[in-house]
Amino acid sequence: MKKTGIVMLLALTAASFQTFAANDVYGTVSEINHRSNSAQNDHSVYIRLALSEAATSTAQCAQSAANLIWHLDLTSPVANYQYELLKTSYKEQLPVRIIGQADVCANGPTDYDTIIEISPWSWPSIIEQRNLTPQVTGNFL
């Protein structure tokens, strides 16, 4: 009976975590969009990712993980650092991990989330591998 109770508790915990889990995605920035409306003091940066499906987990309310639009909160004290990571991911095609807001499902199904946390994903090993791979140049006839 104890074992069954523990298993049920674990199952309920996992189910409730899935219900309230934030988007936690891995991928490379494929698109960066900027919007600025000075009259309304509305300045925004939005991105999309080319996802690594194997490592990505999305909240149940996410309509399509591949089409999630991510918003960078420019009022955040770390916004400049986050933006630099996004630009580097885009320019160098290096993957990042992005975690969204915990209450993303509060208003029902969505295709939009705000970046809460962003970090480089395996950059040192990818850069090292790129540096070790010989670059082929020139014309071969």
Side-chain angles (χ1 to χ4, degrees):
M1 192 72 162
K2 272 187 168 180
K3 188 175 181 181
T4 305
I6 292 172
V7 170
M8 287 182 63
L9 180 60
L10 290 173
L12 286 172
T13 302
S16 68
F17 176 74
Q18 280 290 354
T19 303
F20 300 104
N23 291 309
D24 185 353
V25 299
Y26 294 79
T28 304
V29 175
S30 60
E31 223 179 290
I32 299 178
N33 298 296
H34 304 85
R35 183 178 74 204
S36 184
N37 184 337
S38 297
Q40 295 177 339
N41 200 26
D42 178 19
H43 311 288
S44 298
V45 174
Y46 298 96
I47 66 154
R48 286 186 195 250
L49 297 172
L51 295 178
S52 168
E53 297 292 335
T56 292
S57 72
T58 53
Q60 288 180 336
C61 65
Q63 293 179 348
S64 167
N67 292 315
L68 273 173
I69 298 169
W70 290 91
H71 174 250
L72 177 62
D73 179 3
L74 297 175
T75 64
S76 168
V78 295
N80 287 338
Y81 176 70
Q82 290 177 328
Y83 185 62
E84 288 303 317
L85 285 173
L86 295 172
K87 287 191 318 186
T88 301
S89 174
Y90 181 76
K91 288 179 186 175
E92 302 296 326
Q93 290 300 286
L94 292 167
V96 290
R97 176 184 185 197
I98 296 179
I99 299 173
Q101 53 192 341
D103 62 348
V104 70
C105 295
N107 295 321
T110 187
D111 60 358
Y112 174 89
D113 202 350
T114 299
I115 298 170
I116 300 300
E117 182 179 328
I118 182 173
S119 57
W121 180 39
S122 303
W123 286 13
S125 61
I126 293 169
I127 291 169
E128 182 180 328
Q129 182 62 36
R130 286 181 182 174
N131 290 338
L132 292 176
T133 304
Q135 301 297 319
V136 178
T137 58
N139 294 326
F140 296 97
L141 297 174

